[in-house]
Amino acid sequence: MATVNGEAILSVDDLRISFSTYAGEVQAVRGATFDLRRGETLAIVGESGSGKSVAARSIMRLNPESNTIVRGGEIIFEGEDLLKLSEKRMLDIRGPKIAMVFQDPMTSLDPTMRVGRQIIESLKQHLGMSGRQAAERAAELLELVGIPHAEARLKQYPHQFSGGMRQRVVIAIALACDPQVLIADEPTTALDVTIQAQILELLRELQERLGMSIVLITHDLGVVASTAHRIAVMYGGKIIETGTVREIFYTPQMPYTWGLLASIPLPTADRSQDLIPIPGTPPDATDPPKGCPFAARCPYAMRICEDEVPGYTTFSDEHRAACWLHHQMAPNVERPARITGAK
Amino acid sequence: MLKYTLKRLVNAFVVLFIITTATWFLMQLLPGSPIQNSEKLTPEQEAQVAEQYNLDEPLPVQYALYMSGLLRGDLGDSYQFGGRSVTGIILERLPVSIFLGTQAIIVGLVVGLFLGIVSALKQNSIWDSGAAFLAVLGVSVPDFVLAPLAQYWLGLKLGIFPIAFFESWWHSVLPSLVLATVVAAVIATFTRTEMLEVLGQDYVTLAKAKGLSRLAVVLRHVLRNSMIPLVTIMLPLTAALVTGVLIVETVFSIPGLGEQFVRSIFEKDFPIIMGTTILFSVFFVASYLLQDILYGIIDPRIRVAGNRE
């Protein structure tokens, strides 16, 4: 899929988010920098606890108010830093400008409210529509996301929908006010594989039709390959590598990305070639390592990796990675065969 | 929904029958007899009184007589008040108790909801701790301790409220407040827990993500979903209230049904004990029934499950 060469609609710069807990300060995001361009899909990939969801929620300021600490950085949207906007101004951003789709469609709809009202709510709030206009628009939205018999469906409650249908409703709610940016936080993780494909197809189709930009949060590189234009790999609260889908899949530059790719099952691959898991566990976010977050699990780690955070090395206009192996004094390390031969 | 309701209704009558029968036989186990409790009577007078109230018949006959009366809606006559009908006595006493109880529930509900909502929305603040302290106090101090304390401090020492009898609305304030404490405390704790749980739900985050104001999110999504489980505790709460009414009315010498009930147990006035027990049971069973139906109205998932039956 070709890269979209557009201007950045959303720029996240050195974002640092912590949570205060009884166990101490959890440093969930420790300096994340990425751009989202007009009309593109940017996938943020990482395992559980990498900080990807927290980073995504920070864009809409949806992390729990009571214990979230913004340690630094900025999120620039339409020339303003979202982190500094008043709560009141944020109300006009959430929904009409930036919308979000959540992971679990079984729990993200209010079980006691008719589906129609949950869509209409947003329309009335932001577009000032009358009840009738809003109901018509809600029916259109349901049809747009592929729910048949929209009129009747509007009057039903969430429990009368299947998981995949509910996720379509959640997407309809997100699209209600024509947002410029859609943040999809693991939108297919809770769904059956066949439904996953349908939802991803729907998102892709909607993007083409409505021209919005999508931030796709996922731990599943398989999802990314078919949907995204660019990838940002997140680990230990940092973006450790970013590039186009092609670059990340064919010429990954960071051992963690190698590990991620080596752990995807390939249907065409020789069965004798086992999946290679990444040994160890992610770093403790209450006491993050001072060097590269992956150093403790990295088979190529050098002494400097544990002591200092590597800077970014640039490989192309899009592709850069933070890894000491690319320092001029580092030994030359070959990518593992499974990755090089992945084509 | 209709079939479901009918089924519950039949169940309710079975429960009532069991309660009535059990209470009637248990009552016979009370030491002494209604007649010997009164002033000294000659054996002839005793026999005459016993005959008048069918107390000379064997127990199964007495039971059958009582139940057949009950079926005709006749609760019998009181032993104490020169043969006044139990129904008449209950009707005279009941309004006072209902008044006290309703007032207590309203006050308890308003105060409890307020405290619960505030402490959930301002979690871990000084509001939260304060409300938690009040709630623990309200649940753990029993009415029979709270009532005399209230009489002493608010009645005697400060002289704000009358300490006994029921002569004006002002007289009902203190007993209602005492009754309301438990209600408020239980509702506050419960509401706080439920609200916190709902506040953490994905659909609340989604509602925020729609750009709804905090107030709109709370009013439209949080409150309704936290109120559903509240319906389930209103029943045990009213139960607590009925026992509370017995104590509070006795302590404050209020001529309600509770005070009458306690007195009739001491006097072994069987028809009044039975009549009041049946009334309380009907009250409980009806609240169960109402609760189930209400639950179905508030939570659409239950409504559907009921239809499938």
Side-chain angles (χ1 to χ4, degrees), chain A residues 107 110 118 121 126 159, chain B residues 202 210 220-221 225 301:
Chain A
T107 56
D110 185 338
Q118 299 194 45
E121 210 176 27
H126 298 292
H159 68 266
Chain B
D202 290 345
K210 284 182 201 169
R220 286 184 217 157
H221 297 278
N225 281 287
R301 284 169 296 185

Side-chain angles (χ1 to χ4, degrees), chain B residues 4-195:
Chain B
Y4 170 77
T5 311
L6 280 176
K7 213 167 133 186
R8 307 299 312 214
L9 210 61
V10 173
N11 278 350
F13 276 101
V14 174
V15 169
L16 280 179
F17 173 76
I18 295 172
I19 293 176
T20 312
T21 307
T23 314
W24 196 88
F25 284 102
L26 280 173
M27 209 168 54
Q28 309 300 328
L29 297 176
L30 281 173
S33 88
I35 309 170
Q36 280 155 358
N37 266 0
S38 326
E39 306 88 56
K40 294 265 178 263
L41 297 175
T42 63
E44 295 82 52
Q45 286 171 314
E46 268 187 26
Q48 193 190 346
V49 174
E51 201 196 331
Q52 184 190 340
Y53 291 106
N54 294 324
L55 290 171
D56 51 347
E57 305 281 354
L59 283 186
V61 177
Q62 285 190 39
Y63 172 73
L65 281 172
Y66 186 80
M67 290 309 273
S68 71
L70 196 59
L71 282 181
R72 278 175 278 118
D74 180 8
L75 290 172
D77 293 340
S78 160
Y79 296 164
Q80 302 172 71
F81 300 106
R84 278 189 57 194
S85 82
V86 171
T87 314
I89 293 173
I90 287 179
L91 285 181
E92 180 192 307
R93 294 283 190 135
L94 188 60
V96 176
S97 300
I98 289 184
F99 179 75
L100 275 189
T102 316
Q103 194 159 268
I105 291 239
I106 293 173
V107 172
L109 201 62
V110 171
V111 174
L113 280 177
F114 177 77
L115 288 180
I117 291 172
V118 167
S119 40
L121 292 182
K122 306 253 173 221
Q123 196 193 354
N124 300 330
S125 68
I126 191 143
W127 283 91
D128 191 13
S129 324
F133 177 74
L134 284 180
V136 170
L137 214 64
V139 172
S140 44
V141 179
D143 285 349
F144 57 82
V145 173
L146 199 60
L149 278 178
Q151 280 176 321
Y152 182 72
W153 286 104
L154 299 174
L156 272 180
K157 284 280 173 184
L158 297 173
I160 307 174
F161 299 106
I163 60 168
F165 306 124
F166 192 71
E167 279 146 18
S168 68
W169 176 76
W170 201 236
H171 283 78
S172 78
V173 174
L174 217 46
S176 294
L177 284 183
V178 171
L179 280 176
T181 46
V182 181
V183 182
V186 173
I187 290 181
T189 334
F190 194 83
T191 307
R192 177 181 185 273
T193 318
E194 286 303 324
M195 288 240 337

Side-chain angles (χ1 to χ4, degrees), chain B residues 121 195 199 213-224:
Chain B
L121 292 182
M195 288 240 337
L199 280 169
S213 68
R214 192 174 161 80
L215 185 70
V217 172
V218 170
L219 288 181
R220 286 184 217 157
H221 297 278
V222 180
L223 278 186
R224 183 175 167 111

